[in-house]
Amino acid sequence: MQLKEVQQIVDRWISQFAEGYWHPLAMLARLTEEVGELAREINHHYGQKPKKPGEPPGDIAMELGDILFILACYANSLNIDLEEAFRRVMDKYYQRDSSRWTRIKE
């Protein structure tokens, strides 16, 4: 699935509700909340904070999906094409960081 399609699916979902997209600051709070939930699951799986007895297992993939959803909401509400934004970011990394780390020899 292309990011453009992700944005279209999210827009179709949001467009069926009168409230529409949240205000950018509210979406930032939501994004922060979702990143916190991801951090919690990463800490439970790979860190030194085990889950409490009886606490249900988390799902790192679902937490990443939640982040993708809110990022698509954010981009849609601000008329940002995520594919173009990602291309621009990768161009930056290709130029700025091409020799920053040790490359694996093939």
Side-chain angles (χ1 to χ4, degrees):
M1 181 180 303
Q2 302 291 320
L3 287 173
K4 191 172 296 300
E5 186 177 356
V6 168
Q7 285 187 255
Q8 290 168 348
I9 291 168
V10 168
D11 192 59
R12 280 194 299 272
W13 172 254
I14 296 295
S15 295
Q16 65 183 328
F17 303 107
E19 294 82 2
Y21 291 104
W22 298 347
H23 185 276
L25 285 174
M27 280 193 280
L28 180 59
R30 173 78 189 273
L31 177 61
T32 302
E33 177 186 323
E34 296 299 348
V35 170
E37 291 175 12
L38 173 64
R40 186 171 192 270
E41 288 308 319
I42 294 293
N43 198 18
H44 286 315
H45 280 81
Y46 303 105
Q48 288 142 1
K49 183 182 178 187
K51 288 210 176 254
K52 296 174 189 168
E55 189 175 1
D59 188 334
I60 292 172
M62 286 293 289
E63 298 304 339
L64 288 169
D66 284 341
I67 291 168
L68 180 58
F69 177 84
I70 194 64
L71 285 175
C73 286
Y74 227 139
N76 287 349
S77 73
L78 299 174
N79 295 314
I80 294 171
D81 179 336
L82 281 176
E83 288 182 6
E84 177 59 26
F86 184 73
R87 275 193 288 278
R88 289 174 49 208
V89 166
M90 289 310 299
D91 286 345
K92 174 184 74 173
Y93 283 114
Y94 292 142
Q95 292 172 17
R96 186 186 71 192
D97 297 331
S98 63
S99 61
R100 181 174 285 198
W101 297 284
T102 307
R103 292 193 178 264
I104 297 173
K105 294 186 172 73
E106 296 180 26

